[in-house]
Amino acid sequence: MGSYSASAQRLVDTMKTAALADPARGLAFQGAPGANSDLAAREYDPHALPLPCYAFEDAIEAVRDGRVDRAIIPIENSLHGRVADIHFLLPESGLSIVGEHFLPIRYGLMSRDLGPVTRAMSHEQALGQCRGWLRANHISPVAHSDTAGAAAWVADSDEVGLAALAPPHAADLYGLTLHGTGMEDADHNMTRFVVLAREPLAVPPAGVPLMTTFIFEVKNIPAALYKALGGFATNGVNMTKLESYQVGGSFAATTFYADIVGAPGEETVDRALEELDFQTKSLRLLGTYPMARVRG
């Protein structure tokens, strides 16, 4: 397990005490105070008590162990794609998806003063989302476990020319000077988060569009994926995401992560899932939850 720098640890201790004292309001996230995941937690539930965790595994464990009721985890970014390892962590966690949230991502460059910047520290996702800007300004990227954690690190460092790329308000949290904002390479930079809990929603809310997320493994035969997905087309079920990944490094069979519009209990969804189950080696539902943003 890693550790926070001194500036971040002081805020972590305060937030941890509050969240653990009220598990029903506790909402675990990965990162230091002020990270995008912290912002997402506060936007998703303004009454929540965000719990900073150093790693994704720590946030998931906090829910699994009952220390807090929920965690909010980034799953994909519009510029940089899948968040590393999350497709493995979700199925292995044993938790259920009970919500989603979309957060526009904005970055600021911040350091101890306004001197020239030669190196910028941030999470690898943030560095990827600002790759063009960094290159154009001849600034070398430095990977860190978290955006706001990088800001805290810079605040505690005396290295000349070192800055952080982090949400702009992190500059205030850690006493840094903000050089400017808008370093991301596109205005449509958006991250999707999922909210995890120990149990699935007992009764998904009525009258709102629902999403269902699941994973499945295809059989190692010709046209396996075509056969597996046929039921969604014939039943008119909208699949908004389909992504493949390998498990175990065998390359023998592929596992897929998918989102569909709708929920089990709906006739068309039930028929499509029944066909999918018949055509695949395994199928596991990860959750049904309210749709935060309408898919076309």
Side-chain angles (χ1 to χ4, degrees), residues 5 38 54 58 63-64 69-70 83 118 140 235 249:
S5 65
D38 186 7
Y54 192 81
D58 300 329
V63 178
R64 198 164 48 207
D69 280 5
R70 298 169 298 169
V83 175
T118 57
S140 301
N235 287 285

Side-chain angles (χ1 to χ4, degrees), residues 65-112:
D65 295 348
R67 283 174 282 152
V68 294
D69 280 5
R70 298 169 298 169
I72 187 164
I73 302 292
I75 191 167
E76 59 186 321
N77 176 264
S78 61
L79 291 182
H80 207 56
R82 177 196 304 173
V83 175
D85 296 332
I86 203 63
H87 286 58
F88 300 100
L89 291 172
L90 273 178
E92 292 172 3
S93 72
L95 304 179
S96 295
I97 302 175
V98 296
E100 66 173 358
H101 183 71
F102 289 84
L103 180 73
I105 304 299
R106 300 290 179 263
Y107 292 112
L109 185 74
M110 57 197 72
S111 64
R112 289 165 61 93

